[in-house]
Amino acid sequence: SCLCGSAPCLLCGCCPSTKNSTISRLLFTFFLFLSTLVSIIMIIPGVEKELHKLPGFCEGSASVLGAQPRVDCSSFLGHKAVYRVGFATAAFFCLFAVLMVCVRSSKDPRAALQNGFWFFKFLVLVGITVGAFYIPDGAFTSVWFYFGVVGSFLFILIQLVLLIDLAHSWSQRWLRNAGESGARGWYAALCTVTFVFYAASIAAVALLYVYYTKPEGCTEGKAFISVNLILCLIVSVVSILPKIQEAQPHSGLLQASLITLYTIYVTWSALANVPTQRCNPTLLVRNSTGSATASEPLTSWWDAPSIVGLVIFILCTLFISLRSSDHPQVNKLMLTEESGAGAGPGPGGAAEEGGERRAYDNEQDGVCYSYTFFHLCLLLAALYIMMTLTNWYRPDESLQVLRSPWTAVWVKISSSWAGLLLYLWTLVAPLVLPDRDFS
């Protein structure tokens, strides 16, 4: 019953009194992390070399294009495996997003499917993953690449919303603590963190100019770095303007410094995908014979931007699963509101009985979060981590070479611009819409 029943039954023996909604979100997030771990294993050099033993997994890659009867895709196997695991994970969460449409409370019969039957859910995920490895190659990789690009762009926007919310909450909390305690240590900490963020951003910009540009050429890289640097300066200045400070007393340079640092990271990630060896020293190009044109080892897909992206992915998915925002506007945007449901164990919940620690149903009067939107967020997260682990690379038209396309560069740069505009809007919105409450 612990594997097939409800989430409270599953964790009754190892958790304190916990909300049913929180446990369910954590378990679905665990499924996502499990799929991520499988994807990471697939691109480990030793495992990647063994994937050719799967029947038909490395044959007929060029049959659709008619280029030749067989392509030696041995150097693409890890890439193809990650795509199939990502497809299976996205399909799993898409299935639950559709099944959970318009669930309003735990009294809906479908809520039992959301909060229970974990063993069968695991079997479904495993079954979809195994079946994904039998998808004929053909145009699958090329088409699924663009699905991954769109999904990753949307997840980056979600990351930006969470980051902006974190920055505002962080500043407000420290300023509130400073005001209540009268201690200057909070102001010193605020200034120190802001200085560290800006110093790291300036150092990163200098390194980007050194490693990703040349005195002659590399115009795109110079333009991307310069434009984002100017935009970061603009939002930093706007955040401390008297009019903005009057409308939003908690607005300041801490938020702007955090957004600046993230923008520089996204710029770095974009430049790492520029498909020009001269302007991108980290570029790795594989061909079908297994040779590499960069100085990096053949199977080295773990560059620094991917590692940072993986860490940010983990933090954002945990944020989505564990807590709601301090700001009602963000909760409304993310369709999450912890106060919308019961605050404690109800008569039907599994409260602590006989001294045994149990979870309780806190959604009898209304769900704490939109089930469908939560699964859509995990779907986008699955696509984002799929693209991150493959460095946004894809085979060229002849399926002979695995390259980094300009599409990845423009998607990342566009997402950085969208994030800066979104943060700028949070600053000027109280002035543009004076009748709305932005407290």
Side-chain angles (χ1 to χ4, degrees):
S1 62
C2 283
L3 292 178
C4 304
S6 62
C9 180
L10 179 60
L11 297 180
C12 62
C14 59
C15 282
S17 181
T18 312
K19 297 176 182 178
N20 191 29
S21 59
T22 301
I23 294 178
S24 295
R25 282 182 284 180
L26 281 176
L27 288 174
F28 276 113
T29 303
F30 171 75
F31 282 176
L32 176 62
F33 288 166
L34 186 62
S35 297
T36 302
L37 179 61
V38 172
S39 297
I40 293 174
I41 293 174
M42 290 296 180
I43 57 177
I44 294 176
V47 177
E48 186 180 21
K49 293 179 181 178
E50 297 296 320
L51 290 175
H52 72 277
K53 295 180 180 179
L54 293 177
F57 193 52
C58 194
E59 296 178 0
S61 296
S63 59
V64 175
L65 301 177
Q68 55 183 352
R70 175 170 176 168
V71 171
D72 179 12
C73 60
S74 58
S75 63
F76 301 161
L77 290 180
H79 181 277
K80 294 173 63 175
V82 171
Y83 264 43
R84 278 154 177 77
V85 174
F87 171 81
T89 309
F92 175 79
F93 289 116
C94 180
L95 173 64
F96 276 91
V98 173
L99 291 176
M100 296 299 144
V101 171
C102 296
V103 174
R104 303 299 183 189
S105 72
S106 61
K107 298 177 183 179
D108 191 307
R110 291 174 294 169
L113 186 61
Q114 169 78 5
N115 299 316
F117 301 99
W118 298 102
F119 178 69
F120 295 107
K121 290 176 186 175
F122 178 75
L123 291 182
V124 170
L125 179 59
V126 172
I128 297 176
T129 303
V130 172
F133 278 82
Y134 290 91
I135 297 176
D137 195 21
F140 171 79
T141 302
S142 300
V143 173
W144 190 240
F145 169 82
Y146 290 103
F147 276 91
V149 166
V150 175
S152 299
F153 177 79
L154 296 177
F155 187 74
I156 290 175
L157 293 183
I158 293 176
Q159 286 183 343
L160 291 166
V161 171
L162 298 179
L163 187 69
I164 293 171
D165 174 55
L166 172 64
H168 282 295
S169 299
W170 189 353
S171 178
Q172 289 176 13
R173 190 162 300 176
W174 280 17
L175 290 175
R176 183 168 58 249
N177 292 340
E180 292 175 355
S181 63
R184 295 184 178 181
W186 289 106
Y187 292 109
L190 198 67
C191 295
T192 300
V193 172
T194 302
F195 173 78
V196 169
F197 284 165
Y198 272 123
S201 301
I202 294 172
V205 168
L207 291 174
L208 291 181
Y209 275 118
V210 170
Y211 288 100
Y212 290 93
T213 64
K214 300 293 181 183
E216 300 288 337
C218 300
T219 307
E220 297 87 354
K222 295 175 184 177
F224 292 151
I225 300 172
S226 301
V227 169
N228 279 2
L229 178 60
I230 294 172
L231 292 177
C232 289
L233 289 174
I234 291 175
V235 297
S236 298
V237 172
V238 170
S239 67
I240 57 175
L241 291 177
K243 288 284 187 180
I244 300 297
Q245 290 289 308
E246 182 181 348
Q248 296 195 73
H250 294 292
S251 174
L253 290 177
L254 176 63
Q255 299 96 311
S257 65
L258 184 58
I259 298 301
T260 297
L261 185 60
Y262 183 79
T263 300
I264 299 304
Y265 156 70
V266 176
T267 307
W268 173 36
S269 179
L271 294 176
N273 279 108
V274 172
T276 306
Q277 189 71 52
R278 182 171 177 269
C279 303
N280 181 10
T282 61
L283 182 67
L284 176 66
V285 179
R286 287 181 176 184
N287 60 33
S288 61
T289 62
S291 63
T293 61
S295 58
E296 297 289 331
L298 173 63
T299 52
S300 176
W301 290 99
W302 289 98
D303 58 356
S306 297
I307 295 175
V308 176
L310 179 63
V311 173
I312 295 175
F313 153 78
I314 293 174
L315 294 177
C316 286
T317 49
L318 287 177
F319 186 95
I320 293 171
S321 303
L322 287 175
R323 56 158 290 182
S324 60
S325 171
D326 295 333
H327 299 92
Q329 292 87 358
V330 178
N331 282 329
K332 185 176 181 181
L333 178 64
M334 302 295 292
L335 303 180
T336 304
E337 186 64 69
E338 287 290 349
S339 61
E352 297 185 7
E353 299 174 358
E356 187 175 9
R357 297 174 298 178
R358 294 176 181 268
Y360 58 88
D361 183 5
N362 62 320
E363 298 182 304
Q364 292 183 351
D365 297 328
V367 296
C368 293
Y369 61 101
S370 169
Y371 291 172
T372 294
F373 186 79
F374 172 71
H375 289 298
L376 288 177
C377 286
L378 295 189
L379 186 158
L380 298 178
L383 295 176
Y384 173 81
I385 198 60
M386 178 188 77
M387 301 303 294
T388 299
L389 293 179
T390 57
N391 283 351
W392 297 65
Y393 283 33
R394 69 177 176 87
D396 64 356
E397 290 75 9
S398 64
L399 297 178
Q400 291 290 303
V401 181
L402 201 59
R403 297 185 180 276
S404 175
W406 276 105
T407 305
V409 180
W410 282 107
V411 167
K412 293 179 180 181
I413 290 295
S414 299
S415 66
S416 69
W417 294 339
L420 289 170
L421 290 176
L422 185 61
Y423 173 64
L424 185 62
W425 170 249
T426 65
L427 296 176
V428 302
L431 301 178
V432 178
L433 303 172
D435 296 332
R436 290 189 58 181
D437 181 19
F438 289 94
S439 59

